[in-house]
Amino acid sequence: RGGHLLSGDARSLSQEPDGRWRVETANGPLVAGAAVVALGPWSDAIYGPLGYRIPLGWKRGYHMHYAARDGAKLNHPILDADVGYLLAPMRRGVRLTSGAEFARRDAPPTPVQIEVCEPTARRLFPLAERLDPEPWRGARPCLPDMLPIVGPAPRHPGLWFDFGHAHHGLTLGPVSGRLLADMMTGEQPFIDPAPYRADRF
């Protein structure tokens, strides 16, 4: 049990003549019998050069932190489903989170949803000044059927995929890892992995 953390460039992943997988790290090359592509919204940088045409998209979201006026305190999250934002208490302040924006992962930021939602949020809760210089932006990897890909790469023995969890990566990470571990070690998967196959597209 256990492992080592190494820093390297995942884009250097290549297959050796004997079928093993190699990646360059700061400590030199690492060669192993299996490799897992689990890079969230950046997974296409690995599977694309290997010839896979997986329709990975990105749901981008934004958030901004605010101070509260007059000592007001937000004790629990509040969702405004009609306007499309969430207010949540955080250590940094009150977080205003936007809905989803469908855009290219690395396209310039367009935090228009924060600008649209902020006036309504201010009427709901006494937000004071913004605490961040710019809205934070994240890209959530998603697939057309909103299910992740978890399982073997169809044309490359020893290569495994685990990405496309949309907004639920942190929530589904442990169970996704368990399913992948079952398949990689030849155990009986605890659930049917068929809905998550890479070759469904």
Side-chain angles (χ1 to χ4, degrees), residues 15-16 19 21 46-54 149 151-161 197-201:
Q15 195 166 26
E16 298 279 274
W21 293 91
I46 308 303
Y47 68 69
L50 294 173
Y52 293 96
R53 298 294 173 254
I54 296 169
I149 289 177
R155 299 187 303 276
H156 292 84
L159 184 65
W160 299 81
F161 292 156
R197 296 185 334 267
D199 61 4
R200 70 184 190 267
F201 297 110

Side-chain angles (χ1 to χ4, degrees), residues 66-167:
Y66 299 81
R69 284 201 323 264
D70 305 322
K73 185 169 181 173
L74 185 64
N75 294 313
H76 53 80
I78 299 174
L79 172 66
D80 184 336
D82 291 334
V83 180
Y85 68 89
L86 177 80
L87 288 175
M90 307 297 288
R91 286 195 185 111
R92 181 162 172 76
V94 177
R95 178 180 291 175
L96 170 62
T97 301
S98 74
E101 171 193 52
F102 290 94
R104 301 295 295 175
R105 180 191 59 220
D106 299 320
T110 55
V112 64
Q113 292 186 46
I114 294 290
E115 306 299 333
V116 169
C117 295
E118 184 178 303
T120 304
R122 287 185 179 280
R123 290 194 293 273
L124 182 66
F125 184 83
L127 297 174
E129 71 275 9
R130 290 182 170 192
L131 300 177
D132 305 318
E134 298 291 336
W136 174 91
R137 172 176 54 92
R140 292 86 172 218
C142 56
L143 294 149
D145 58 5
M146 295 308 293
L147 295 175
I149 289 177
V150 183
R155 299 187 303 276
H156 292 84
L159 184 65
W160 299 81
F161 292 156
D162 191 1
F163 55 81
H165 297 77
H167 290 256

Side-chain angles (χ1 to χ4, degrees), residues 32-48:
V36 178
V37 178
L39 295 172
W42 300 278
S43 296
D44 60 327
I46 308 303
Y47 68 69

